[in-house]
Amino acid sequence: MTAALAASPAAIRVPSRLADPSLWLFGGLILLLVGLVANPILRLVWESFHAADGSLSLASYAAALGRGRHLQALLNSLYLGLAVTALALALGVPLALAVSRTNMPGRGFTHVSVLAAFVMPNFLGAIAWILLAGPNAGWLNRLWAEALGVDKGPFNIFSFWGLAFVIALYTYPLIYVFTKSALDLVSTELEDAAAIHGAGKFRTLARVTLPLVMPSIVGAAILIFLESVALYGTPALIAIPAGINLATTQLVSFFEYPLKVEQAAAFSMPILALTVLMLYLQRRLLARKGFVSVSGKGGERRPFDIGAWKWLLLGYSVLVSVLTVVMPMIILVLASLSKAWGRGIGAGNLTLANFHNIFFEQLTVRSALLNTVSYSAATALVCVAMGVCVAYATQRRITPFPTLIQFLALAPVAVPGLILAIGLYAAYAGPPFSLYGTGALIVVAFTTRFLPIAVTASAASIRSLNPELEEAVRILGGGRLTVLGRVVVPLLKKSLVGVFILVFVICTKELSTAVFLTGPASRVVSVLTLDLSEQGNYESLAAMGVVLVVIVTLVVGIGMRIAGRDFMLRRA
């Protein structure tokens, strides 16, 4: 007995916290997070304060911001952002009101059409509208000229407003999502109270409904503005031929030979500062949206009878759907089936050779399709795995400084894709990593860019879980990894599937982050689109676009079956 008692202190020794494998896992994730997020952003700032020879200098700022052409490019981007925001508001707000608050018929159709516009890559939309409204060979102009017997049609997509129009067509879903989500929280009782006091339908809408959701509308408008300023794909296809110099196209010119990475970093600083400022303003505005909930109960919500106006709204929603999805997809399919798209529609001009070429002859196109799918799937998988781990560690406060870690995970939101690509190029293209032109760098770039989506969605889902479920496993001897793998992940399966598919879809559309980082063997569809458009090979380009849309649509269909019809718009 004495020997047993003597040995008991050693037998009941408390294991060291360092022996907990979850600590090493979450610690490794934090280090990985620092490498993914902090490294490229810090390198971007570092490069901006150095000259080409590596010496500390402000010469890069003088060269990048000291020319009138460069400053005009920044101003043009600001004008474009304002124009796109105005058009997107005109498209998104009426549709959100119609679907959420009115008795307009076909509300389900409108909702699905917005989802389709979200899925449609903006660079494919730009190609479609070049085929539709090009000033010389655009099909709409040709139909107009033939119908009226004139020399040419009135449409010219290669203009400032043509560019703003195309960008707005594929960014307005963000306005729709924010506005509809806020409108769904507004009780009909508030509108009834206004009616009792003599307010008509439109006065109620203007004085009660819209003011309640205005913070969400303004917040979404800020995001649209920033997206438009930082977008590269559509400007590369439309603005460059139109002779419109923008900040993003000017940034790309710094990567022409000889490389001027330092000037590119310096030129990106005003855009980065504007983004941080606008996102801060957006966060302050959205923080106020809770005032729409007047009481603790949600209140009654029923469709608002708008009489004959519902048919006008239905016509408007159909028009938006035709402009964003129907006409672009029809023209892409017709071009993909044409021997020469400029000849028009005719039995002698139809062929399946373009699809045969991209699958069996044009190895570059086939490789780009495979790269796009594989990189997007790998990124989505990494984002989900890292997102759920980071969200769990911060929400349950397993690691020190959880607020700082969450801020770091969400920081890429404040960095436009093209600017983040410059930082990633500076951080990883050269030694010691030497990743330039590899698929690994594309996955790293996409993961850094879209990790905030996975972290935000996972954190919201984890907050909905009762910690008592996890505590029961801990009481029975399970560690944090057991809790994560046997309780948290199975319970969040649908949410995580939705996040996976959302990140996958967004990656297939991403161009700004990939444009500086791809090489001949790692080219993706978005980057190859620019090359084929410069060559005028619109038939193969359209066939490639149709295949990509079919793949993404199948993936979205699977997501809708697993995670619900509107899983993408809920998380967008």
Side-chain angles (χ1 to χ4, degrees), residues 550-564:
V550 170
I551 293 172
V552 173
T553 302
L554 290 174
V555 173
V556 171
I558 295 171
M560 294 172 69
R561 290 292 301 272
I562 297 175

Side-chain angles (χ1 to χ4, degrees), residues 141-442:
N141 283 320
R142 292 170 58 189
L143 289 174
W144 182 285
E146 292 174 4
L148 299 181
V150 295
D151 293 335
K152 61 180 182 178
F155 307 108
N156 182 12
I157 206 66
F158 295 109
S159 63
F160 177 85
W161 285 105
L163 174 63
F165 170 76
V166 174
I167 296 175
L169 288 181
Y170 300 101
T171 53
Y172 88 89
L174 195 61
I175 296 282
Y176 172 88
V177 171
F178 273 66
T179 307
K180 182 179 180 299
S181 298
L183 286 168
D184 288 343
L185 297 176
V186 178
S187 172
T188 311
E189 296 168 357
L190 300 173
E191 297 163 342
D192 292 341
I196 292 172
H197 285 82
K201 295 177 181 178
F202 291 100
R203 189 177 180 186
T204 300
L205 178 68
R207 299 291 297 274
V208 177
T209 308
L210 283 178
L212 288 172
V213 300
M214 191 55 66
S216 291
I217 295 176
V218 174
I222 289 173
L223 293 181
I224 293 289
F225 174 82
L226 294 175
E227 175 71 12
S228 305
V229 169
L231 192 65
Y232 176 68
T234 305
L237 293 166
I238 296 178
I240 292 178
I244 303 171
N245 191 27
L246 299 173
T248 50
T249 55
Q250 185 62 52
L251 272 172
V252 173
S253 71
F254 290 125
F255 278 75
E256 297 173 355
Y257 184 82
L259 291 178
K260 303 172 184 176
V261 179
E262 299 80 11
Q263 292 186 31
F267 188 77
S268 67
M269 287 298 111
I271 306 174
L272 183 60
L274 175 66
T275 303
V276 173
L277 176 63
M278 298 294 280
L279 285 176
Y280 172 77
L281 177 61
Q282 186 245 16
R283 183 173 182 179
R284 292 291 300 270
L285 287 169
L286 289 183
R288 298 174 53 210
K289 78 173 185 177
F291 73 89
V292 300
S293 181
V294 176
S295 65
K297 297 182 180 179
E300 181 185 4
R301 300 180 185 89
R302 63 179 183 275
F304 200 51
D305 187 0
I306 57 173
W309 289 97
K310 63 185 179 184
W311 301 110
L312 182 63
L313 271 179
L314 177 61
Y316 185 72
S317 68
V318 171
L319 175 62
V320 173
S321 176
V322 168
L323 293 175
T324 55
V325 180
V326 178
M327 285 175 57
M329 281 309 304
I330 288 176
I331 196 67
L332 285 175
V333 171
L334 289 176
S336 69
L337 296 174
S338 299
K339 295 178 182 177
W341 69 273
R343 296 180 185 175
I345 303 173
N349 194 35
L350 296 178
T351 180
L352 292 174
N354 296 319
F355 291 95
H356 180 273
N357 290 341
I358 66 172
F359 283 118
F360 301 106
E361 295 183 12
Q362 297 186 12
L363 299 181
T364 303
V365 177
R366 186 175 67 185
S367 174
L369 284 168
L370 292 175
N371 288 342
T372 300
V373 174
S374 59
Y375 298 162
S376 300
T379 300
L381 188 62
V382 174
C383 281
V384 169
M386 286 191 64
V388 71
C389 290
V390 170
Y392 182 72
T394 55
Q395 292 300 312
R396 297 298 186 250
R397 299 188 174 274
I398 298 173
T399 61
F401 311 111
T403 303
L404 178 61
I405 295 169
Q406 189 172 35
F407 169 80
L408 190 62
L410 301 180
V413 171
V415 186
L418 200 64
I419 295 175
L420 181 63
I422 297 172
L424 289 164
Y425 180 92
Y428 300 115
F433 299 102
S434 301
L435 294 179
Y436 177 73
T438 65
L441 183 55
I442 304 301

